[in-house]
Amino acid sequence: MMTVKGNQRTLQADCAALGWEKIPVTDRIEEWEHGRYVRRELKLVQPVGALKIAWPWAVQVGQLTRISQRTATGKISRETVYVVTSLAPDKANASVLNRMLVNHWGIENKVHWVRDVGFNEDKNQIRRGTAARVAASLANLVVSVLRLAGLDQIAKTRRRAARDPEFMAGLLLGTIRAGG
């Protein structure tokens, strides 16, 4: 499954043009999380005939609308994204795909957001050869070592490790755990 991003303009335009206003919601998840109420509504179609898109591996195309309301302020936000998957409906129905998308955002927040914000990955100027992949791999390694040690405040822990080489050695050797 893949979330269609803005850098895939043709695919995004194809997905947006599928006439979603006529397609019913096929699955809905409602949850209270992190001080907000979130409703995720997924609509699914199989891209055949008039619904064909320029993506040969797409077996199902989805429109996911996330509506969230902050409990403290009452502020409501709405976001719509498109997804494509090579999974057939008998392998992954709307309920399964919607739950997969929820889990995907957990990964997005735990890994990609930390790399983007904590390691300034989006501003990285590395462009030659495999250096960008190496930098991303090293960032993943650091995040993994910290999480395995039970440390979830990545930025704070990185600052401490920069000041205290023994602390960093303890993390790498596995002798330091959360609270240590």
Side-chain angles (χ1 to χ4, degrees):
M1 182 168 37
M2 177 182 84
T3 303
V4 179
K5 306 274 184 166
N7 61 349
Q8 299 149 330
R9 287 188 182 95
T10 301
L11 179 58
Q12 193 173 44
D14 284 354
C15 290
L18 289 177
W20 294 105
E21 63 281 349
K22 297 174 188 166
I23 299 168
V25 172
T26 47
D27 190 67
R28 178 179 288 120
I29 296 175
E30 297 182 24
E31 298 176 321
W32 288 94
E33 58 183 31
H34 310 291
R36 65 183 179 198
Y37 164 78
V38 179
R39 185 173 71 221
R40 295 174 179 88
E41 297 178 342
L42 180 63
K43 297 178 178 184
L44 282 178
V45 295
Q46 294 179 23
V48 294
L51 300 176
K52 197 76 175 144
I53 63 171
W55 193 260
W57 305 279
V59 175
Q60 296 185 84
V61 179
Q63 180 192 58
L64 176 69
T65 303
R66 283 187 296 269
I67 304 158
S68 64
Q69 181 175 15
R70 294 252 169 231
T71 54
T73 64
K75 181 181 176 191
I76 296 174
S77 65
R78 179 185 191 96
E79 178 185 23
T80 299
V81 297
Y82 300 101
V83 295
V84 293
T85 182
S86 60
L87 297 169
D90 62 327
K91 301 285 184 206
N93 62 27
S95 176
V96 169
L97 289 174
N98 207 358
R99 185 51 57 190
M100 287 172 68
L101 288 163
V102 170
N103 294 338
H104 170 76
W105 287 110
I107 293 168
E108 182 77 26
N109 289 336
K110 283 192 172 203
V111 177
H112 301 294
W113 186 86
V114 170
R115 281 183 20 198
D116 289 346
V117 175
F119 291 85
N120 248 348
E121 194 171 77
D122 287 345
K123 295 179 184 173
N124 194 325
Q125 297 295 310
I126 300 172
R127 301 283 185 261
R128 297 197 177 264
T130 58
R133 281 190 188 165
V134 170
S137 296
L138 289 172
N140 285 342
L141 175 65
V142 169
V143 171
S144 296
V145 166
L146 298 179
R147 293 220 193 273
L148 286 170
L151 302 162
D152 58 357
Q153 295 182 356
I154 305 299
K156 179 180 175 182
T157 306
R158 284 183 57 223
R159 287 190 298 272
R160 179 175 175 194
R163 291 188 312 268
D164 185 354
E166 289 178 18
F167 175 73
M168 189 66 213
L171 284 172
L172 291 172
L173 294 172
T175 59
I176 291 182
R177 307 283 307 156

